[in-house]
Amino acid sequence: MPQDSGPESKKESDISAAAARILDEVKAEPVPDSIRDLAHELDRTLRAKRKAGSQV
């Protein structure tokens, strides 16, 4: 999963890395659609947060 460039805190970086690992695991194992949707929503939310932070 490509990372957006820009400053982010260590905590946000750790969360992004965890989300990436979760998405990778979702691809490797049969997981209910609701869990996959939640992981994708988390990814979109984190990207939007990073983008909003870089525009300040």
Side-chain angles (χ1 to χ4, degrees), residues 7-24:
E8 61 181 284
S9 71
K10 170 132 174 60
K11 182 178 178 180
E12 288 173 342
S13 178
D14 290 345
I15 291 170
S16 296
R21 285 190 304 272
I22 289 168
L23 289 174
D24 285 341

Side-chain angles (χ1 to χ4, degrees), residues 4-5 10 12-13 15 18-20 22-24 30 32-35 37 43 45 47 49-54:
D4 292 342
S5 61
K10 170 132 174 60
E12 288 173 342
S13 178
I15 291 170
I22 289 168
L23 289 174
D24 285 341
D33 288 341
S34 60
I35 301 298
D37 293 344
D43 183 52
T45 300
R47 274 190 272 143
K49 184 176 179 181
R50 285 193 301 265
K51 183 178 178 181
S54 68

